[in-house]
Amino acid sequence: MKKFNIRKVLDGLTAVSSSSSTSSSSAQPGCKESELIPETLQSEHFQLCKTVRHGFPYQPSSLAFDPVQKILAIGTQTGALRLFGRPGVECYCQHESGAAVIQLQFLINEGALVSALTDDSIHLWNLRQKRPAILHSLKFSRERITFCHLPFQSKWLYVGTERGNIHLVNVESFTLSGYVIMWNKAIELSTKTHPGPVVHISENPMDEGKLTIGFECGIVVLWDLKCKKADYRYNYDEAIHSVAWHHEGKQFICSHSDGTLTVWNVRSPAKPVQIITPHGKQAKDGKKPEPCKPILKVEYKTTKAGDPFMILSGGLSYDTVGRRPCLTVMHGKSTAVLEMDHPVVDFLTLCETPYPSEAQEPYAVVALLEKDLVVIDLAQNGYPIFENPYPLTIHESPVTCCEYFADCPADLIPALYTVGSRQKRQAYSKKEWPLSGGHCGQGTQSYQEMIITGYGLFLHASPVMLQVLYKLKTAKVFEKYRNKEDKPGKDIVDEDPFAIQTISWCLESRMLCVAGVSAHILIYRFSQQEVTSEVLQLLEVKLLYEPNETESPEAGGEPVAALPTPNVTSSSPANTPDSQASASSSPSDAVRDNVPCLRVRSSLPKQSPGYQVELVVQLLWVSGEPPQQITSLAINSSYGLVVFGNSSGLAVVDYFQKTVLLNMGMLQLYGSSDQRQLRSPRKTKQTSLGLCDISEGSTSSEDRCKSPTSDTRDTSFSRSSSVTSIDRESREAITLFHVSETFARKSDGGATPCLWVGTSFGSVLLMVLNVPPAGEQRLLQPVTVTPTGTLLRLKGAILRMAFLDATGALLPGPSEPWREPDCANDKERPRKRRTASPPGSQEASEIQFAVICSDKQAKVIALPSQAVAFKHNITETSFVLRSDVVQMSGGVCIACFCANGHIMTLSLPSLRPLLDVSYFPLTDMRIARTFCFSNHGQALFLTSPTEIQRITYSQETCENLQEMLGDLFTPVETPEAPNRGFFKGLFGGGAQSLDREDLFGEAAAGKAARSLAQHIPGPGGIEGMKGAASGVVGELARARIALDERGQKLGELEERTAAMMASADSFSKHAHEMMLKYKDKKWYQL
């Protein structure tokens, strides 16, 4: 273990400059406590990489399924690919161009996927590796791609274009064939107009030599691939959206833009056999039915014993205003309309067999919606849906914040799972999840992880998996509004008034506190028992902002408390509160005063097991001005306190006694002797204020609902108009609270409960908490809070605080272990507090280090001496968005995420830079709002409104990532082809095969024009091509490669044999010449 020596710091050995700024780390002289502090974390312990992505694919556009591998693929409008197998098998890929994915086609049971994009490129993905990669790309330059089709067990991909032509691509080499189907040859010569883009391509299930081509204008062509001519043309006067075949190859069905389905016999192109309008009123006298919305897609699936299934999306009548999107399942004489919560993007029918020439036996439908993925069971009555094991509901409400917790107590995850399982009221299908492909990774971890999103969704995080455990809906506490005009909280925010802005969670006690955008705080207690008919406890608080100005001498010269400044433009000085109307004033135009933004229900009839409301705190309007939003929040279960603050001040609430202990404005925090300006605070000596009896713990229940400040101050003064919008933006606000047992003063001999306060101007203030002993005294005696003034100041807003002991170990905050609430015995049962100081030597209790990080710099303060031990300027050109003190396997460090995209780590306590990587630029405020670090080198952020991206900055995790990731491809035997039978084989029945190589190969069709498309090798180069040959095109390609290698070896052997024969002939010739030369000579003539 390496020990850090302060003398080396003084010699200048720690002068390290980060790449993003001219930041520097330095030790401060005069701090003897930090001379010998062990540090084990080094730069080689850190490495940054993405791990997994969770959530619903943002803006989905296409869907594909491998019926043998049981893998689902989803493409998006941003060029992303998401692949799903069994629970725990998920994968994310991204096209570099970022173009939208038009279509996806699996090479069934080959471990490969073809994607077509709107930039007219097609790509071949190798799925036989844990992180799929592109093997080949083909970029079209003359024509726009509109549709692709890859038949089962074929290596030739049909590509339809906007011009109406069809090209063929060999998926082995990703080269174009010279065989082209031109639109003018496919349609009748008498047709004078262009048929439009190709919208459908498919082969006749019983004859691979017959190709069905659907044009947008309504023409369907049955093309003979061998004869290169059209056998039949089917005309309908409505645009076509999709075509589906009956497995016997004698009929097909088309969906049209007027909401109709047309059924055609292959040999009867004159008119359709049947016209169906699933959701329209059938007209009489042979007239066309009433037009409906377009049927975007139809699938025609048959069963061996029973009626076929017709499944379609769209087609609703135009008079069904306000009706939700739906899928329609037509089975026999029954028609079921399945309403969806979101518009349908695409759907697929899952069948037992991959062969299109036999009865498919459908068992499920996968419906891809704009914001959800639904799988419907076709085998059960009522068509129930399968319970989705993936965390695809992260975006159920807009995610406004995220918190990431590692090292959770072992009993926390099972407890949340137990209460969360009782929330599932929907009748799901009893069958197993049909997407069962792939293998889960082998990686494990010894710690539990939890993620909480901004609307109360509790997620259990494993190394590569995310599972929804429990959902908490905070809106149930408040009354609902009927229309937009009655929408509460609209004066403060335009978004959801119930949205959660800040979360504070105590893992040990399971106490949860959330602050909403409408200036409300909800305190929850966890219970596994149901609570009925409980009256909600409510506290209403006024937080008053006091600008640094005094009343005129005529008024007595006493400081005047101004009203809270609203989040709107200031009024003129002549306006008084009586003449000002609120933005959401009552019908009588009265000024809102002493009212909250939301209306709380008087009681909840029932609170289910899980998180139950303990207390509701609301900030009040004052003389027509709305309260400021909560900027900082903290809960401490050991002391029973909740602390919150904003730009007006702070308040301390005792949720045991349901009372407000302290309510202070920003100026009161600094004391009356601090005459600093609010914009630029200067270091002045702070005096201790004896404000411990602002609120008495013995107040009545009626008085407890009022702010102590509102009882002692007259707030009927005219609002000052000197605070402009610029002043409001630059106003100091509370940014951080931290409760810990530390040294409050230099002369303290031991640690006491303290509340540390950080502000947006970099001030760090300290308040001493005097907490009665646990038990009955705690419920009867008041808690006193004594401010001690400003301790120090940093550059920028305070973001994070933590405390270390004398050995550099992280000190946890005081907490209370969870126990089941018992109303009858709650007061008698003693409470056991878990203190912050771990058991150790006497030295450990005498020395502490406070770690304070702002958006510009970090400092380590020695306690109780209050000397600055180390200081580091993190950045000068940017600012830190999120900072956390995290526990790594080898020690403790500070992790920072800056606005310029840099992710940095600093050692503790010396603040040496260990990692500085430019990860990504801040392109969206969503990232800044949701980025969070956790222990063991984990971090996450919301990369889109529906997806969470997890990353790691731990070298150990990066090295083990391959083992943690699951395998998408697993060796599975392809089902046997359907048996043709004796009579079908004898009389030529059954499916007719086609030798596509003889028809589309270079020898028969020639080469395509080079200018038509450009081939781009994948990033794997030659190795990628070998991977394609070994893992993509199947047994035939592997056999061909083996044959080529054998032929090459035979050729080499033949060449060597020929060389040996030539050498032997030459030797024989020379031997014969020597024999003739010396044949007639005597021995003495030699």
Side-chain angles (χ1 to χ4, degrees):
M1 179 181 293
K2 182 179 178 181
K3 292 188 176 181
F4 186 83
N5 197 325
I6 187 63
R7 296 185 181 129
K8 293 183 180 180
V9 180
L10 297 176
D11 292 338
L13 296 181
T14 58
V16 181
S17 177
S18 65
S19 62
S20 63
S21 65
T22 57
S23 61
S24 61
S25 177
S26 61
Q28 305 299 309
C31 181
K32 298 181 179 180
E33 294 94 333
S34 59
E35 288 187 355
L36 288 177
I37 301 173
E39 289 188 5
T40 56
L41 289 179
Q42 302 298 327
S43 298
E44 55 266 21
H45 295 149
F46 295 90
Q47 181 181 347
L48 192 64
C49 68
K50 293 181 180 180
T51 54
V52 288
R53 180 171 293 199
H54 303 291
F56 182 76
Y58 182 56
Q59 294 179 336
S61 58
S62 57
L63 185 67
F65 180 70
D66 188 329
V68 179
Q69 287 290 321
K70 309 290 186 183
I71 295 290
L72 185 74
I74 298 176
T76 72
Q77 296 180 24
T78 58
L81 289 180
R82 294 286 301 277
L83 296 109
F84 299 91
R86 67 176 67 247
V89 178
E90 295 182 40
C91 186
Y92 162 77
C93 313
Q94 178 68 47
H95 294 89
E96 291 184 1
S97 65
V101 180
I102 299 174
Q103 202 172 354
L104 296 173
Q105 290 279 315
F106 272 104
L107 277 68
I108 296 176
N109 203 27
E110 297 291 346
L113 178 71
V114 175
S115 59
L117 309 184
T118 54
D119 64 352
D120 308 314
S121 62
I122 55 177
H123 307 270
L124 181 65
W125 292 83
N126 181 14
L127 306 183
R128 295 195 175 216
Q129 54 195 52
K130 293 193 174 184
R131 288 189 178 273
I134 293 178
L135 298 172
H136 298 280
S137 297
L138 200 62
K139 172 75 172 176
F140 282 77
S141 56
R142 290 184 180 179
E143 302 190 50
R144 305 295 306 271
I145 299 174
T146 57
F147 195 86
C148 294
H149 173 65
L150 181 65
F152 178 48
Q153 293 183 331
S154 171
K155 67 176 183 178
W156 291 98
L157 174 72
Y158 298 97
V159 180
T161 67
E162 193 175 34
R163 293 185 179 180
N165 304 324
I166 296 178
H167 303 273
L168 288 103
V169 178
N170 188 318
V171 293
E172 292 183 9
S173 59
F174 241 56
T175 55
L176 280 171
S177 169
Y179 191 106
V180 181
I181 303 175
M182 306 300 292
W183 68 271
N184 54 355
K185 295 182 178 180
I187 66 172
E188 293 180 342
L189 298 177
S190 59
T191 304
K192 297 181 180 180
T193 59
H194 191 277
V198 176
V199 297
H200 178 82
I201 305 172
S202 63
E203 292 181 349
N204 187 317
M206 301 302 291
D207 190 352
E208 296 177 352
K210 307 294 183 181
L211 188 70
T212 308
I213 307 170
F215 295 97
E216 188 182 52
C217 68
I219 299 176
V220 178
V221 176
L222 188 64
W223 182 264
D224 191 321
L225 292 171
K226 293 182 179 179
C227 299
K228 300 182 180 180
K229 66 181 183 68
D231 284 350
Y232 300 102
R233 297 180 179 91
Y234 313 86
N235 291 282
Y236 194 71
D237 55 359
E238 293 292 340
I240 289 178
H241 286 275
S242 68
V243 180
W245 276 97
H246 189 279
H247 81 277
E248 293 179 350
K250 298 178 181 180
Q251 281 187 343
F252 63 88
I253 185 170
C254 303
S255 67
H256 299 277
S257 58
D258 63 344
T260 60
L261 300 172
T262 55
V263 182
W264 299 82
N265 280 338
V266 173
R267 300 183 182 274
S268 303
K271 64 176 182 178
V273 177
Q274 188 179 9
I275 299 177
I276 306 171
T277 309
H279 299 285
K281 298 178 181 179
Q282 298 293 338
K284 299 180 180 179
D285 302 330
K287 296 182 180 180
K288 293 185 65 174
E290 179 184 352
C292 297
K293 297 179 183 179
I295 297 178
L296 302 178
K297 186 176 182 180
V298 63
E299 290 204 347
Y300 196 10
K301 303 298 180 181
T302 57
T303 60
K304 294 180 180 178
D307 296 318
F309 283 87
M310 282 189 189
I311 305 168
L312 55 103
S313 64
L316 293 176
S317 176
Y318 281 105
D319 59 2
T320 56
V321 179
R323 188 170 182 178
R324 294 190 295 178
C326 67
L327 273 182
T328 304
V329 180
M330 303 172 66
H331 184 219
K333 297 182 179 180
S334 66
T335 300
V337 179
L338 309 177
E339 291 189 342
M340 303 293 167
D341 294 332
H342 309 283
V344 180
V345 176
D346 196 0
F347 74 90
L348 288 173
T349 307
L350 309 187
C351 303
E352 297 288 350
T353 176
Y355 293 95
S357 58
E358 64 175 330
Q360 287 88 15
E361 298 293 338
Y363 60 88
V365 175
V366 179
L368 177 63
L369 312 181
E370 282 189 358
K371 295 183 179 181
D372 200 1
L373 181 70
V374 179
V375 183
I376 304 164
D377 188 356
L378 294 178
Q380 294 188 24
N381 295 330
Y383 304 127
I385 66 172
F386 289 88
E387 183 179 1
N388 200 322
Y390 312 124
L392 301 182
T393 57
I394 294 174
H395 61 285
E396 185 175 336
S397 293
V399 179
T400 51
C401 64
C402 276
E403 293 295 336
Y404 196 0
F405 302 91
D407 290 327
C408 297
D411 58 345
L412 180 61
I413 305 296
L416 287 172
Y417 179 81
T418 301
V419 297
S421 60
R422 303 177 187 177
Q423 294 179 327
K424 302 173 182 177
R425 299 177 180 177
Q426 188 170 359
Y428 293 106
S429 172
K430 298 180 180 179
K431 294 184 178 181
E432 294 184 358
W433 181 247
L435 308 182
S436 57
H439 280 307
C440 296
Q442 302 298 322
T444 58
Q445 62 186 25
S446 59
Y447 54 89
Q448 301 280 352
E449 293 179 304
M450 282 288 299
I451 299 172
I452 303 181
T453 63
Y455 68 96
L457 184 65
F458 291 75
L459 303 162
H460 174 216
S462 66
V464 294
M465 187 178 173
L466 210 60
Q467 181 184 9
V468 178
L469 293 179
Y470 177 75
K471 294 181 181 180
L472 175 65
K473 296 182 178 180
T474 60
K476 296 191 299 184
V477 179
F478 305 97
E479 295 182 2
K480 295 182 180 180
Y481 55 92
R482 298 180 180 179
N483 49 49
K484 293 184 179 180
E485 287 71 18
D486 297 335
K487 181 179 178 180
K490 65 179 181 179
D491 309 277
I492 300 182
V493 291
D494 295 330
E495 54 187 309
D496 184 3
F498 309 115
I500 297 175
Q501 193 173 22
T502 311
I503 299 172
S504 180
W505 191 29
C506 178
L507 297 176
E508 299 295 335
S509 65
R510 305 179 189 175
M511 291 295 298
L512 176 67
C513 187
V514 298
V517 297
S518 299
H520 61 274
I521 298 97
L522 302 175
I523 304 170
Y524 288 90
R525 186 184 296 274
F526 184 84
S527 175
Q528 295 180 339
Q529 300 176 359
E530 184 177 274
V531 177
T532 58
S533 302
E534 183 169 333
V535 178
L536 291 179
Q537 298 288 333
L538 175 64
L539 284 178
E540 295 180 343
V541 180
K542 289 183 180 180
L543 278 182
L544 302 180
Y545 169 66
E546 301 180 11
N548 192 22
E549 60 184 21
T550 58
E551 203 179 26
S552 61
E554 289 78 12
E558 294 295 325
V560 177
L563 298 175
T565 304
N567 199 9
V568 293
T569 56
S570 299
S571 304
S572 61
N575 289 339
T576 61
D578 295 333
S579 63
Q580 298 174 15
S582 168
S584 62
S585 58
S586 61
S588 60
D589 293 333
V591 176
R592 297 184 66 173
D593 190 21
N594 293 332
V595 293
C597 299
L598 302 176
R599 293 188 295 269
V600 179
R601 292 185 177 182
S602 58
S603 64
L604 292 177
K606 179 180 67 173
Q607 294 198 65
S608 302
Y611 276 100
Q612 300 167 355
V613 181
E614 176 85 359
L615 180 64
V616 181
V617 182
Q618 289 185 292
L619 300 187
L620 301 178
W621 285 63
V622 180
S623 299
E625 307 296 353
Q628 300 296 312
Q629 292 186 5
I630 305 298
T631 57
S632 185
L633 178 71
I635 186 170
N636 185 271
S637 60
S638 180
Y639 307 141
L641 302 178
V642 169
V643 194
F644 59 92
N646 55 17
S647 59
S648 300
L650 66 83
V652 182
V653 173
D654 184 347
Y655 66 81
F656 284 164
Q657 300 185 21
K658 308 295 188 300
T659 184
V660 179
L661 300 175
L662 183 68
N663 182 358
M664 298 184 68
M666 291 301 300
L667 283 183
Q668 291 176 311
L669 290 176
Y670 292 96
S672 59
S673 63
D674 189 356
Q675 300 298 325
R676 68 176 185 87
Q677 296 294 323
L678 287 179
R679 285 195 181 185
S680 55
R682 64 177 185 269
K683 294 185 178 180
T684 55
K685 187 175 180 180
Q686 303 296 322
T687 57
S688 176
L689 298 180
L691 300 177
C692 55
D693 22 333
I694 283 184
S695 174
E696 296 293 334
S698 59
T699 55
S700 63
S701 60
E702 181 178 355
D703 293 333
R704 287 175 184 174
C705 296
K706 299 181 180 180
S707 164
T709 305
S710 65
D711 294 339
T712 58
R713 286 184 178 269
D714 183 9
T715 60
S716 61
F717 302 107
S718 173
R719 182 176 61 86
S720 171
S721 61
S722 62
V723 183
T724 63
S725 60
I726 299 178
D727 294 326
R728 287 192 299 271
E729 292 175 1
S730 61
R731 184 196 303 176
E732 186 173 17
I734 305 295
T735 57
L736 181 70
F737 293 110
H738 189 90
V739 181
S740 183
E741 292 185 0
T742 60
F743 299 90
R745 301 173 182 84
K746 295 181 180 180
S747 58
D748 286 355
T752 57
C754 295
L755 171 64
W756 292 66
V757 182
T759 73
S760 59
F761 282 179
S763 299
V764 178
L765 303 102
L766 191 60
M767 296 185 178
V768 179
L769 304 176
N770 186 4
V771 184
E776 186 176 357
Q777 296 184 42
R778 173 63 184 86
L779 300 177
L780 298 177
Q781 298 180 10
V783 177
T784 58
V785 184
T786 307
T788 62
T790 305
L791 183 65
L792 76 157
R793 288 191 175 95
L794 280 73
K795 296 179 182 178
I798 305 298
L799 299 180
R800 190 63 55 193
M801 293 184 191
F803 292 88
L804 309 178
D805 62 13
T807 63
L810 187 64
L811 289 173
S815 61
E816 178 184 290
W818 176 83
R819 58 189 180 87
E820 182 66 47
D822 188 352
C823 298
N825 302 323
D826 188 58
K827 297 183 179 180
E828 287 77 9
R829 296 175 63 176
R831 297 177 181 269
K832 297 181 180 180
R833 293 176 184 167
R834 181 172 299 181
T835 60
S837 302
S841 62
Q842 181 69 19
E843 181 185 3
S845 62
E846 294 178 354
I847 299 176
Q848 289 182 354
F849 294 95
V851 181
I852 306 172
C853 184
S854 72
D855 61 10
K856 289 290 185 180
Q857 65 177 187
K859 287 185 179 180
V860 176
I861 312 300
L863 298 176
S865 66
Q866 298 183 4
V868 178
F870 301 96
K871 181 176 69 173
H872 177 78
N873 293 325
I874 300 174
T875 178
E876 297 291 345
T877 59
S878 183
F879 58 92
V880 179
L881 291 169
R882 181 68 185 245
S883 177
D884 282 289
V885 178
V886 295
Q887 180 75 49
M888 303 289 288
S889 58
V892 186
C893 67
I894 298 179
C896 303
F897 172 56
C898 297
N900 58 5
H902 283 246
I903 292 180
M904 294 180 277
T905 59
L906 306 173
S907 68
L908 284 176
S910 65
L911 300 179
R912 290 181 297 111
L914 299 175
L915 175 72
D916 187 355
V917 178
S918 180
Y919 184 57
F920 59 85
L922 181 63
T923 57
D924 196 335
M925 284 305 297
R926 183 189 311 106
I927 299 175
R929 189 170 60 244
T930 59
F931 195 100
C932 52
F933 294 98
S934 185
N935 292 337
H936 305 285
Q938 306 296 326
L940 63 82
F941 59 92
L942 208 67
T943 185
S944 72
T946 62
E947 295 171 291
I948 288 178
Q949 177 67 57
R950 294 169 65 184
I951 62 175
T952 181
Y953 49 96
S954 167
Q955 172 67 27
E956 181 182 359
T957 305
C958 291
E959 292 177 352
N960 299 329
L961 185 59
Q962 284 296 109
E963 297 181 3
M964 297 178 182
L965 296 176
D967 294 303
L968 287 170
F969 179 81
T970 54
V972 179
E973 291 187 4
T974 303
E976 294 184 0
N979 189 4
R980 295 176 62 185
F982 174 76
F983 290 103
K984 287 185 178 181
L986 181 63
F987 296 105
Q992 302 294 321
S993 61
L994 174 70
D995 191 344
R996 299 182 180 90
E997 184 66 28
D998 291 342
L999 192 59
F1000 307 139
E1002 184 177 339
K1007 293 184 178 180
R1010 292 185 177 181
S1011 60
L1012 182 61
Q1014 177 187 2
H1015 176 259
I1016 304 172
I1022 300 300
E1023 295 298 325
M1025 296 174 67
K1026 288 182 179 179
S1030 62
V1032 176
V1033 297
E1035 298 295 334
L1036 181 61
R1038 286 193 288 271
R1040 183 169 298 165
I1041 292 172
L1043 186 61
D1044 291 341
E1045 293 178 353
R1046 182 182 178 188
Q1048 183 178 0
K1049 292 180 180 179
L1050 288 175
E1052 293 175 356
L1053 180 61
E1054 185 178 356
E1055 291 177 0
R1056 286 159 57 186
T1057 304
M1060 292 177 64
M1061 290 179 63
S1063 178
D1065 290 342
S1066 177
F1067 179 79
S1068 176
K1069 181 180 179 181
H1070 286 292
H1072 185 65
E1073 290 176 354
M1074 290 290 292
M1075 185 268 296
L1076 292 177
K1077 181 178 179 180
Y1078 298 106
K1079 179 180 179 181
D1080 298 329
K1081 292 185 179 182
K1082 302 297 183 181
W1083 62 271
Y1084 54 83
Q1085 295 177 337
L1086 298 176

